[in-house]
Amino acid sequence: MNILRTWKDFFSFLLAPAIDHKEGSLLEKSLSAFYIFILKVILVIITGLLLHLLFGNPDPKILNSTLINTSIFIALFAGVFEEIVYRLSLTKFNPWYLSISLAGFLFIIIKKLYFRNMLLENEGLLVSSLIAVASFPIFYLITKKFTEQLERFWQKHFGIVFYISAFLFAISHFFNAKELELVNLKSNISHLFSALILGYVRIRSGIVAAIILHIVWDLML
Protein backbone atom coordinates (compact mmCIF):
# COMPACT_ATOMS: atom_id res chain seq x y z
CA MET A 1 0.00 0.00 0.00
CA ASN A 2 1.70 3.21 -1.14
CA ILE A 3 1.38 6.55 0.58
CA LEU A 4 -1.06 8.19 -1.86
CA ARG A 5 -3.32 5.15 -1.83
CA THR A 6 -3.33 5.23 1.97
CA TRP A 7 -4.25 8.91 2.03
CA LYS A 8 -7.02 8.31 -0.50
CA ASP A 9 -8.31 5.41 1.61
CA PHE A 10 -8.33 7.68 4.68
CA PHE A 11 -10.48 10.36 3.06
CA SER A 12 -12.78 7.71 1.57
CA PHE A 13 -13.08 6.16 5.02
CA LEU A 14 -14.20 9.50 6.49
CA LEU A 15 -17.16 9.52 4.09
CA ALA A 16 -18.38 6.16 5.38
CA PRO A 17 -16.52 4.91 8.48
CA ALA A 18 -16.76 1.15 8.86
CA ILE A 19 -15.12 -1.60 10.87
CA ASP A 20 -12.21 -3.11 8.97
CA HIS A 21 -12.62 -6.87 8.56
CA LYS A 22 -9.56 -7.27 6.34
CA GLU A 23 -6.50 -8.99 7.75
CA GLY A 24 -3.29 -7.27 6.73
CA SER A 25 0.28 -8.16 7.57
CA LEU A 26 2.14 -6.39 10.36
CA LEU A 27 4.29 -4.63 7.76
CA GLU A 28 1.25 -3.38 5.85
CA LYS A 29 -0.38 -2.10 9.03
CA SER A 30 2.84 -0.43 10.16
CA LEU A 31 3.35 1.29 6.81
CA SER A 32 -0.27 2.44 6.76
CA ALA A 33 0.13 3.98 10.23
CA PHE A 34 3.39 5.66 9.21
CA TYR A 35 1.88 7.13 6.04
CA ILE A 36 -1.07 8.48 8.01
CA PHE A 37 1.31 9.98 10.56
CA ILE A 38 2.95 11.94 7.74
CA LEU A 39 -0.49 13.16 6.65
CA LYS A 40 -1.22 14.23 10.23
CA VAL A 41 1.95 16.33 10.34
CA ILE A 42 1.04 18.01 7.06
CA LEU A 43 -2.55 18.75 8.11
CA VAL A 44 -1.53 20.14 11.49
CA ILE A 45 1.10 22.41 9.94
CA ILE A 46 -1.36 23.73 7.35
CA THR A 47 -4.07 24.22 9.96
CA GLY A 48 -1.67 25.95 12.34
CA LEU A 49 -0.53 28.36 9.65
CA LEU A 50 -4.10 29.18 8.63
CA LEU A 51 -5.19 29.76 12.22
CA HIS A 52 -2.15 31.94 12.82
CA LEU A 53 -2.93 34.04 9.75
CA LEU A 54 -6.60 34.38 10.67
CA PHE A 55 -6.48 34.71 14.45
CA GLY A 56 -2.87 35.23 15.49
CA ASN A 57 -1.74 32.86 18.24
CA PRO A 58 -4.46 30.16 18.24
CA ASP A 59 -3.49 28.48 21.51
CA PRO A 60 -5.34 29.53 24.69
CA LYS A 61 -3.65 29.49 28.07
CA ILE A 62 -3.98 26.07 29.60
CA LEU A 63 -4.81 25.11 33.16
CA ASN A 64 -2.04 25.50 35.70
CA SER A 65 -0.18 22.24 35.96
CA THR A 66 3.19 21.19 37.28
CA LEU A 67 2.89 18.18 35.00
CA ILE A 68 2.13 19.87 31.71
CA ASN A 69 5.72 20.05 30.49
CA THR A 70 5.96 17.08 28.20
CA SER A 71 7.88 14.18 29.64
CA ILE A 72 8.16 10.58 28.61
CA PHE A 73 5.86 9.53 31.45
CA ILE A 74 3.15 12.06 30.57
CA ALA A 75 3.35 11.16 26.89
CA LEU A 76 3.08 7.47 27.71
CA PHE A 77 0.13 8.03 30.02
CA ALA A 78 -1.74 10.27 27.59
CA GLY A 79 -1.11 7.95 24.67
CA VAL A 80 -2.32 4.84 26.44
CA PHE A 81 -5.14 6.36 28.50
CA GLU A 82 -6.69 8.56 25.82
CA GLU A 83 -6.55 5.86 23.15
CA ILE A 84 -8.26 3.41 25.50
CA VAL A 85 -10.93 5.95 26.43
CA TYR A 86 -11.70 7.30 22.99
CA ARG A 87 -10.75 4.57 20.53
CA LEU A 88 -10.65 1.16 22.21
CA SER A 89 -14.31 0.65 21.27
CA LEU A 90 -13.80 1.50 17.59
CA THR A 91 -14.10 -2.12 16.56
CA LYS A 92 -16.72 -4.86 16.69
CA PHE A 93 -18.91 -4.15 19.72
CA ASN A 94 -17.46 -5.47 22.96
CA PRO A 95 -19.14 -4.69 26.33
CA TRP A 96 -15.77 -4.84 28.11
CA TYR A 97 -14.23 -2.29 25.77
CA LEU A 98 -17.17 0.10 25.97
CA SER A 99 -17.36 -0.16 29.77
CA ILE A 100 -13.65 0.60 30.12
CA SER A 101 -13.99 3.57 27.76
CA LEU A 102 -17.01 4.96 29.60
CA ALA A 103 -15.36 4.63 33.01
CA GLY A 104 -12.26 6.38 31.70
CA PHE A 105 -14.33 9.14 30.14
CA LEU A 106 -16.14 9.66 33.44
CA PHE A 107 -12.74 10.15 35.08
CA ILE A 108 -11.89 12.82 32.49
CA ILE A 109 -15.21 14.61 32.99
CA ILE A 110 -14.78 14.78 36.76
CA LYS A 111 -11.19 16.00 36.58
CA LYS A 112 -11.69 18.61 33.88
CA LEU A 113 -15.20 19.87 34.63
CA TYR A 114 -15.45 19.55 38.40
CA PHE A 115 -11.87 19.90 39.64
CA ARG A 116 -10.81 21.99 36.61
CA ASN A 117 -7.31 20.59 36.40
CA MET A 118 -5.24 18.23 34.29
CA LEU A 119 -5.68 14.49 34.60
CA LEU A 120 -2.63 13.72 36.74
CA GLU A 121 -2.87 16.70 39.07
CA ASN A 122 -3.13 15.57 42.70
CA GLU A 123 -6.33 17.47 43.49
CA GLY A 124 -9.26 15.17 42.84
CA LEU A 125 -7.10 12.38 41.43
CA LEU A 126 -8.02 9.79 44.07
CA VAL A 127 -11.71 10.71 44.15
CA SER A 128 -12.00 10.70 40.37
CA SER A 129 -10.17 7.38 40.13
CA LEU A 130 -12.38 5.73 42.75
CA ILE A 131 -15.56 6.94 41.07
CA ALA A 132 -14.35 5.72 37.68
CA VAL A 133 -13.40 2.30 39.06
CA ALA A 134 -16.72 2.00 40.91
CA SER A 135 -18.63 2.95 37.75
CA PHE A 136 -17.02 0.24 35.64
CA PRO A 137 -19.14 -2.72 36.88
CA ILE A 138 -22.27 -0.58 36.49
CA PHE A 139 -21.38 0.28 32.91
CA TYR A 140 -20.55 -3.35 32.23
CA LEU A 141 -23.85 -4.67 33.60
CA ILE A 142 -25.77 -2.16 31.49
CA THR A 143 -23.83 -2.78 28.27
CA LYS A 144 -23.96 -6.54 28.83
CA LYS A 145 -27.72 -6.43 29.30
CA PHE A 146 -28.19 -4.50 26.06
CA THR A 147 -25.45 -6.25 24.09
CA GLU A 148 -27.76 -7.40 21.31
CA GLN A 149 -29.17 -3.92 20.72
CA LEU A 150 -25.76 -2.28 20.95
CA GLU A 151 -24.25 -4.79 18.52
CA ARG A 152 -26.93 -3.93 15.97
CA PHE A 153 -26.35 -0.23 16.49
CA TRP A 154 -22.55 -0.65 16.11
CA GLN A 155 -23.02 -2.55 12.84
CA LYS A 156 -25.62 -0.22 11.39
CA HIS A 157 -24.37 3.13 12.67
CA PHE A 158 -20.65 2.69 13.17
CA GLY A 159 -20.04 6.04 11.48
CA ILE A 160 -21.98 7.76 14.26
CA VAL A 161 -19.90 5.95 16.88
CA PHE A 162 -16.70 6.98 15.10
CA TYR A 163 -17.59 10.67 14.86
CA ILE A 164 -18.92 10.84 18.43
CA SER A 165 -15.58 9.45 19.59
CA ALA A 166 -13.68 12.05 17.54
CA PHE A 167 -15.88 14.91 18.75
CA LEU A 168 -15.54 13.93 22.42
CA PHE A 169 -11.76 13.72 22.07
CA ALA A 170 -11.57 17.18 20.52
CA ILE A 171 -14.03 18.88 22.85
CA SER A 172 -12.44 17.40 25.98
CA HIS A 173 -9.25 19.28 25.10
CA PHE A 174 -11.24 22.52 25.01
CA PHE A 175 -11.55 22.20 28.79
CA ASN A 176 -7.77 22.36 29.13
CA ALA A 177 -8.10 26.12 28.67
CA LYS A 178 -8.18 28.41 31.69
CA GLU A 179 -10.92 30.54 30.17
CA LEU A 180 -13.77 28.53 28.68
CA GLU A 181 -14.54 30.92 25.86
CA LEU A 182 -15.99 29.84 22.53
CA VAL A 183 -13.19 31.65 20.72
CA ASN A 184 -10.82 29.00 22.08
CA LEU A 185 -12.64 26.27 20.15
CA LYS A 186 -10.57 27.15 17.09
CA SER A 187 -7.52 25.67 18.80
CA ASN A 188 -9.29 22.30 18.92
CA ILE A 189 -9.39 21.90 15.16
CA SER A 190 -6.03 20.14 15.28
CA HIS A 191 -7.38 17.84 18.01
CA LEU A 192 -10.28 16.94 15.75
CA PHE A 193 -7.86 16.09 12.94
CA SER A 194 -5.88 13.99 15.41
CA ALA A 195 -9.02 12.15 16.51
CA LEU A 196 -10.01 11.33 12.93
CA ILE A 197 -6.52 10.17 12.04
CA LEU A 198 -5.96 8.13 15.20
CA GLY A 199 -9.41 6.60 14.83
CA TYR A 200 -8.54 5.53 11.30
CA VAL A 201 -5.22 4.09 12.48
CA ARG A 202 -6.95 2.22 15.30
CA ILE A 203 -9.36 0.61 12.82
CA ARG A 204 -6.88 -0.12 10.03
CA SER A 205 -3.75 -0.93 12.06
CA GLY A 206 -4.97 -1.70 15.58
CA ILE A 207 -5.05 -0.04 18.99
CA VAL A 208 -1.31 -0.54 19.60
CA ALA A 209 -0.45 1.43 16.45
CA ALA A 210 -2.79 4.24 17.52
CA ILE A 211 -1.17 4.35 20.97
CA ILE A 212 2.33 4.49 19.50
CA LEU A 213 1.42 7.30 17.09
CA HIS A 214 -0.25 9.23 19.91
CA ILE A 215 2.83 8.91 22.13
CA VAL A 216 5.24 9.88 19.35
CA TRP A 217 3.16 12.94 18.49
CA ASP A 218 2.99 14.10 22.11
CA LEU A 219 6.76 13.72 22.46
CA MET A 220 7.24 15.86 19.36
CA LEU A 221 5.17 18.75 20.72
Side-chain angles (χ1 to χ4, degrees):
M1 181 178 287
N2 62 42
I3 189 167
L4 293 180
R5 192 185 309 163
T6 302
W7 291 359
K8 181 180 178 181
D9 180 64
F10 168 70
F11 289 111
S12 298
F13 170 86
L14 293 183
L15 296 176
I19 299 172
D20 191 358
H21 297 288
K22 295 182 293 184
E23 288 293 332
S25 67
L26 178 60
L27 177 60
E28 289 175 333
K29 291 181 177 181
S30 299
L31 285 174
S32 175
F34 176 69
Y35 294 155
I36 288 298
F37 182 78
I38 295 174
L39 178 62
K40 174 182 171 68
V41 173
I42 294 172
L43 289 176
V44 169
I45 290 174
I46 293 174
T47 303
L49 289 174
L50 288 175
L51 289 175
H52 183 73
L53 290 173
L54 293 173
F55 304 105
N57 183 11
D59 296 322
K61 293 181 179 179
I62 60 173
L63 294 169
N64 289 327
S65 174
T66 57
L67 300 169
I68 199 60
N69 292 326
T70 302
S71 66
I72 293 177
F73 174 74
I74 300 301
L76 287 171
F77 173 82
V80 174
F81 184 72
E82 291 188 343
E83 289 309 306
I84 287 175
V85 170
Y86 296 105
R87 283 170 280 277
L88 180 64
S89 296
L90 295 183
T91 185
K92 182 180 178 181
F93 176 76
N94 184 310
W96 285 100
Y97 289 175
L98 182 58
S99 301
I100 292 171
S101 295
L102 290 173
F105 187 64
L106 179 60
F107 172 84
I108 292 173
I109 290 175
I110 296 171
K111 284 289 285 176
K112 290 192 176 183
L113 295 187
Y114 183 77
F115 290 104
R116 292 292 294 131
N117 58 30
M118 306 301 283
L119 298 184
L120 292 180
E121 286 291 296
N122 287 330
E123 183 185 4
L125 181 60
L126 179 60
V127 172
S128 302
S129 299
L130 290 175
I131 293 175
V133 171
S135 72
F136 172 76
I138 298 173
F139 286 133
Y140 180 74
L141 290 174
I142 294 173
T143 55
K144 188 68 175 177
K145 180 177 181 180
F146 295 100
T147 292
E148 186 176 338
Q149 295 91 325
L150 288 168
E151 281 181 343
R152 286 201 300 268
F153 183 85
W154 240 248
Q155 293 172 1
K156 189 175 181 180
H157 303 292
F158 184 76
I160 294 176
V161 175
F162 177 83
Y163 280 109
I164 287 176
S165 166
F167 173 78
L168 291 177
F169 176 82
I171 202 66
S172 69
H173 286 79
F174 168 72
F175 293 98
N176 288 351
K178 286 183 178 180
E179 304 296 333
L180 300 181
E181 300 175 351
L182 291 179
V183 69
N184 291 333
L185 281 173
K186 63 182 181 291
S187 67
N188 292 108
I189 294 176
S190 63
H191 290 115
L192 181 59
F193 283 149
S194 293
L196 297 176
I197 287 172
L198 289 169
Y200 172 85
V201 170
R202 189 272 181 267
I203 293 166
R204 288 287 191 265
S205 302
I207 189 67
V208 174
I211 289 173
I212 292 173
L213 256 64
H214 194 144
I215 292 171
V216 170
W217 181 256
D218 283 353
L219 288 173
M220 288 174 58
L221 296 180

